[in-house]
Amino acid sequence: MPYLAAAVVLIGLLSVLNLVLTLGLIRRLREQGAAQPQDAGPPMALEPGAEVGDFTTTTTEGEPVSRAILIGLIGFFSAGCEPCHDLAPRFARLATGLPRLAVVSGDDPELVAVLSPATRVVVEDHNGVVSRAFQNTWTPALYLIDGEHRVVAAGGRLEDLPIESPA
């Protein structure tokens, strides 16, 4: 009988120790989560200063597009992406004087129609040549590219880039 009582006490002490350690772990995870910025934006594969990879493709109008002529504002949009549909009209009417290229992943004629009057549009699969050149897996994603084919700025909103956007 004394062995049984000792076993029950030992199990009880181990349970209390487990509870204390679990609560401490939960508190530490909450502190770490609070320390990280909540609005960090989408994960961008090519950060400012990175060089865009090589690619060659054609726009919906049959115009050739390659890394060699790439400069300006590049936007990645995808079918079924609500934020992409919200951003597309603002991207299309952006009056900066910068050349623009919109890359639409998937079959979305409505999105292409919104973008195509004002910008060159490339339609490709989610892992198309332009997406691979930018190592881009997120939409919407915007990149500002300089004359040396390097990323100047990247973000998920027009406000993330150092450009003037319409009101």
Side-chain angles (χ1 to χ4, degrees):
M1 189 70 162
Y3 295 113
L4 183 59
V8 169
V9 168
L10 182 63
I11 290 173
L13 289 174
L14 288 174
S15 296
V16 169
L17 177 64
N18 185 24
L19 180 63
V20 168
L21 291 174
T22 302
L23 291 174
L25 181 63
I26 289 171
R27 185 180 55 162
R28 179 170 287 186
L29 289 173
R30 284 185 179 164
E31 288 171 358
Q32 287 178 349
Q36 295 177 356
Q38 297 299 320
D39 191 22
M44 297 308 203
L46 291 184
E47 297 291 333
E51 192 170 338
V52 177
D54 197 25
F55 71 93
T56 302
T57 189
T58 57
T59 67
T60 54
E61 301 293 321
E63 177 186 356
V65 178
S66 68
R67 178 184 178 269
I69 62 169
L70 187 68
I71 187 172
L73 185 60
I74 289 63
F76 288 86
F77 304 88
S78 63
C81 165
E82 190 62 36
C84 295
H85 284 269
D86 295 341
L87 177 62
R90 293 180 58 217
F91 183 86
R93 70 175 182 260
L94 191 63
T96 64
L98 291 171
R100 284 170 288 165
L101 175 68
V103 180
V104 178
S105 298
D107 183 29
D108 195 336
E110 179 185 326
L111 195 53
V112 172
V114 167
L115 292 164
S116 57
T119 186
R120 298 174 294 168
V121 177
V122 171
V123 177
E124 64 180 20
D125 293 330
H126 290 282
N127 195 21
V129 295
V130 183
S131 295
R132 284 195 311 266
F134 279 82
Q135 303 170 16
N136 190 72
T137 59
W138 190 273
T139 58
L142 302 170
Y143 295 88
L144 188 58
I145 307 300
D146 67 11
E148 296 177 4
H149 316 295
R150 294 196 178 278
V151 176
V152 174
R157 305 171 304 157
L158 288 172
E159 294 78 14
D160 295 336
L161 305 179
I163 56 174
E164 294 293 323
S165 61

